[in-house]
């Protein structure tokens, strides 16, 4: 005897839409109203952003004020301030190259092909050195530009990347110390983590930038920028340490036992067995922490750095473009979006990649 | 550690005491295992079987007595512990395979990073042992894609790849569905036939009968009885042993 089982035909797109949104007359009415509202908003936005907008600087600010739409000419006129801050005008190509360096370095280290200790170290070592030489100059015939003049996107990226670069290994160290078998080590670490987490980032930045120089010997003070980055890395690591610890708790005890039984040393167990699994568990929360940190770089403005948001303020704040702040913020929002969205998509890629073979 | 040249028993346990906090888990346990000998350890749940074999490779620290493995006494010397762990393989109840690595990598990682074998050699060894446990075709899969019986056989292969002189098994079949138990036991029987020194905690009495040189019965943290299998099953003296046997053989 033979039985032929036929799967029911998959409903077509139209059928599906009908069933979801037009099942009853009331539902149909609500769907139509929502559709109309959405279309209206979309049209208004599009009209403002494109059809009635001014794109060229030729008419100056006056042309903008006459038009009904967006004034994108402010971006055309002031993009250099937004991207590079107070960096000397003639040297801004260096700042642009530095941005590219950071982006390339980040993208490279996101590629699985670069995930060996030596390659990552090479990428980051060469990348940061190149960034520093480009931005600071003083060698190879490049005029020197002090850290206080760095700004805009280049500064935002630099602070973010170095915060993560210092904060991430620190977080792993803290997480490992916190699970130490020696109670005084784990308790002290817990105290540090909880202490840092209970302070607002602003107060930490302020302390590192303004207060620390009074407490430290002169030779240890360094530039304000690096102190700020250290503070921000410390803050990042306190949160990230808890995320990593959570990931470690999700790894069954049997994993470490199996590694021990095979004769692996402590660092081999940590590096090959515990951390890879812990980081896989911790990935979603980690990406979240990266996104938050990226946006929190804007807080450095309170200690006098003109990262991209503050540079945006400056771009419309002076003189004739004062009215065009919406456009400037829309532009900055777009830049944030590009970076944060790429970060999130990369996180999703990693999750897919790591879930290979998972039950 | 070149201990194959050292004479004396593979494992000698003398007056072993182990406490968990105030709980006395092992009470003056004595056991000596010769090279090539196969020991089956059985006993009710909570009697200290796992604790005893985990002391042999220092997954648990003992609190009294002496453990000598392949001529080296287990103490706080980390070099000794590492040396012994290299020579003592262990198979766990819940397999404990590394889920983020392929089957092949599971088998290659310890030989490569602990024994410092070159990759090609480690891979050849791994494939040989996967063949031996009869799953060479699963080498590129991840543990999560295998059945319980297959995972346990990979776990055996992983331990064998370190080329240990002694193998410890802690209830290797008790987490398996009944139809997978025999595939794992078959592998263990082959291993026994090759002359491996084995200490197996198991309730598989058929296996004990077939391969064990001695059966050890534990209860309440003590070794209550210790005898060759035919003697153990037919004429055990102890009341607790008889009760236990009637339970595991009763159905
Ligand atoms: N890590 C531990 N902490 C506290 N008590 C434990 C621990 N491991 C085992 N025990 C106790 O020690 C006794 C022996 O355990 P175990 O060796 O696992 O027994 P078996 O393997 O024979 O079932 C049990 O009573 C168990 O509750
Ligand atoms: Mg047990």
């Amino acid at each position: 005897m033979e039985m032929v089982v036929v799967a029911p035909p998959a409903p077509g797109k139209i059928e599906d839409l009908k069933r979801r949104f037009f099942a009853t007359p009331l539902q149909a009415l609500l769907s139509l109203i929502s559709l109309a509202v959405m279309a209206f908003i979309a049209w208004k936005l599009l009209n403002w952003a494109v059809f009635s907008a001014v794109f060229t600087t030729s008419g100056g600010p006056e042309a903008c004020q006459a038009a009904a739409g967006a004034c994108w000419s402010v971006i055309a006129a002031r993009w250099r301030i937004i991207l590079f801050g107070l960096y000397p005008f003639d040297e801004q190509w260096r700042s642009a190259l530095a941005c590219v360096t950071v982006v390339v370095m980040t993208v490279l280290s996101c590629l699985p092909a670069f995930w060996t200790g030596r390659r990552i170290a090479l990428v980051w070592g060469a990348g940061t050195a190149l960034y520093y030489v480009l931005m600071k100059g003083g060698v190879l015939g490049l005029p020197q530009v002090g850290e206080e003049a760095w700004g805009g996107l280049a500064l935002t990226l630099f602070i973010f990347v170095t915060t993560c670069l210092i904060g991430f290994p620190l977080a792993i160290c803290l997480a490992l110390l916190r699970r130490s078998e020696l109670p005084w080590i784990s308790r002290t670490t817990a105290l540090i983590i909880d202490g840092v987490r209970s302070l607002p980032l602003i107060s930490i930045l302020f302390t590192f930038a303004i207060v620390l120089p009074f407490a430290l010997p002169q030779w240890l003070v360094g530039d304000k920028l690096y102190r700020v980055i250290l503070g921000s890395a410390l803050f990042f690591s306190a949160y990230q340490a808890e995320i990593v610890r959570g990931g470690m708790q999700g790894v069954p005890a049997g994993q470490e036992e199996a590694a021990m039984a095979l004769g692996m040393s402590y660092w081999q167990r940590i590096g090959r067995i515990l951390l890879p699994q812990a980081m896989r568990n911790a990935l979603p929360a980690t990406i979240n922490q990266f996104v938050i940190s990226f946006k929190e770089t804007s807080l450095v403005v309170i200690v006098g750095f003109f990262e991209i948001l503050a540079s945006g303020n400056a771009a419309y704040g002076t003189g004739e473009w004062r009215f065009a702040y919406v456009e400037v913020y829309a532009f900055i929002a777009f830049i944030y979006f590009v970076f944060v969205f790429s970060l999130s998509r990369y996180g999703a890629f990693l999750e897919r990649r790591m879930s290979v073979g998972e039950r | 550690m070149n201990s194959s040249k050292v004479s004396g028993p593979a494992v000698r346990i003398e007056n072993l005491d182990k406490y968990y906090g105030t709980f006395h888990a092992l009470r003056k346990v004595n056991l000596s295992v010769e090279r090539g000998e196969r020991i089956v350890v059985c006993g009710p749940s909570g009697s200290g079987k796992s604790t005893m074999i985990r002391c042999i490779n220092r997954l648990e620290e003992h609190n009294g007595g002496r453990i000598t493995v392949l001529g080296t006494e287990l103490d706080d010397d980390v070099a000794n512990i590492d040396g012994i762990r290299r020579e003592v393989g262990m198979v766990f109840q819940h397999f404990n395979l590394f889920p983020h690595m392929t089957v092949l990598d599971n088998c290659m990682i310890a030989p490569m990073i602990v024994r410092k074998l070159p990759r090609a050699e480690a891979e050849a060894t791994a494939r040989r042992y996967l063949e031996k446990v009869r799953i060479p075709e699963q080498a590129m899969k991840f543990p999560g894609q295998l059945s319980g019986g297959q995972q346990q056989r990979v776990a055996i292969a992983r331990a064998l790849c370190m080329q240990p002189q002694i193998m410890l098994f802690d209830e290797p079949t008790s987490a398996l569905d009944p139809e997978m138990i025999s595939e794992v036991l078959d592998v263990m029987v082959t291993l026994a036939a090759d002359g491996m020194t084995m200490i197996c905690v198991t309730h598989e009495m058929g296996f004990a009968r077939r391969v064990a040189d001695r059966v050890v019965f534990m209860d309440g943290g003590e070794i209550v009885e210790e005898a060759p299998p035919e003697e153990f099953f037919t004429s055990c003296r102890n009341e607790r042993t008889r009760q236990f046997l009637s339970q595991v053989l009763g159905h």
Side-chain angles (χ1 to χ4, degrees), chain A residues 253-265 268-269 272-274 276-277 280 356-359, chain B residues 54 57 59 85 88 90 92 96-101 109-110 113-114 116 142 144-145 151 158-159 162:
Chain A
Q255 290 291 310
E256 257 203 290
E257 284 179 1
M260 269 191 224
L262 287 166
M264 293 188 202
S265 68
Q268 290 173 336
R269 298 197 302 265
R272 301 302 193 102
I273 308 301
L274 184 67
Q277 294 185 58
R280 173 200 280 195
V356 174
E358 230 170 320
R359 266 185 214 265
Chain B
R54 288 160 59 87
N57 64 353
L59 292 185
R85 283 180 180 160
V88 180
M90 186 162 196
F92 300 86
N96 299 357
L97 291 176
F98 305 131
H100 58 301
M101 298 179 191
I109 182 161
I113 69 178
V114 178
K116 315 277 184 224
F142 285 87
Q145 297 167 309
Q151 290 195 49
R158 175 178 71 176
M162 282 295 283

Side-chain angles (χ1 to χ4, degrees), chain A residues 292-322:
Chain A
I292 291 175
S293 304
F294 186 78
K295 295 195 273 197
E296 274 176 351
T297 51
S298 58
L299 288 180
V300 299
V301 68
I302 66 131
V303 290
F305 285 108
F306 285 81
E307 45 65 64
I308 187 163
L309 202 58
S311 304
N313 274 331
Y316 73 79
T318 51
E320 67 265 48
W321 296 105
R322 200 173 278 279

Side-chain angles (χ1 to χ4, degrees), chain B residues 29-220:
Chain B
V29 168
N30 284 284
L31 181 69
S32 186
V33 181
E34 296 302 320
R35 283 160 207 274
E37 214 181 359
R38 278 91 56 171
I39 307 289
V40 162
V41 181
C42 60
S45 174
S47 56
K49 309 178 296 293
S50 300
T51 305
M52 182 181 76
I53 71 164
R54 288 160 59 87
C55 281
I56 295 173
N57 64 353
R58 244 293 146 140
L59 292 185
E60 301 288 354
E61 256 176 69
H62 56 279
N63 307 108
R66 283 157 60 105
I67 304 177
T68 313
V69 181
L70 301 166
T72 308
E73 186 181 339
L74 267 179
D75 48 26
D76 289 329
D77 188 336
V78 179
N80 282 352
I81 296 173
D82 284 348
I84 285 171
R85 283 180 180 160
R86 277 197 285 273
E87 302 299 330
V88 180
M90 186 162 196
V91 175
F92 300 86
Q93 182 174 358
H94 296 287
F95 331 135
N96 299 357
L97 291 176
F98 305 131
H100 58 301
M101 298 179 191
T102 62
V103 163
L104 191 63
D105 286 338
N106 264 279
C107 295
M108 286 167 60
I109 182 161
M112 280 172 63
I113 69 178
V114 178
R115 286 226 190 268
K116 315 277 184 224
L117 283 195
R119 169 170 282 274
E121 204 175 316
E123 180 168 347
T125 314
R127 291 201 185 271
R128 195 167 75 239
Y129 281 112
L130 286 174
E131 192 99 38
K132 193 179 171 89
V133 301
R134 298 194 271 276
I135 34 176
E137 71 285 355
Q138 313 284 6
M140 298 321 286
K141 286 198 181 160
F142 285 87
Q145 297 167 309
L146 304 185
S147 75
Q150 291 174 322
Q151 290 195 49
Q152 193 60 298
R153 284 184 284 150
V154 172
I156 295 174
R158 175 178 71 176
L160 291 176
C161 283
M162 282 295 283
Q163 318 228 299
Q165 304 188 37
I166 303 171
M167 284 286 285
L168 308 175
F169 294 82
D170 191 0
E171 306 208 28
T173 56
S174 33
L176 296 178
D177 293 334
E179 76 271 18
M180 296 174 184
I181 291 179
S182 66
E183 65 189 50
V184 171
L185 290 180
D186 286 348
V187 167
M188 291 170 64
V189 170
T190 326
L191 200 57
D194 293 347
M196 175 65 77
T197 310
M198 293 164 67
I199 303 178
C200 314
V201 176
T202 180
H203 292 164
E204 294 297 330
M205 290 304 142
F207 173 80
R209 219 170 243 158
R210 259 173 87 190
V211 308
D213 295 309
R214 262 186 298 153
V215 180
V216 170
F217 175 73
M218 290 184 74
D219 191 19

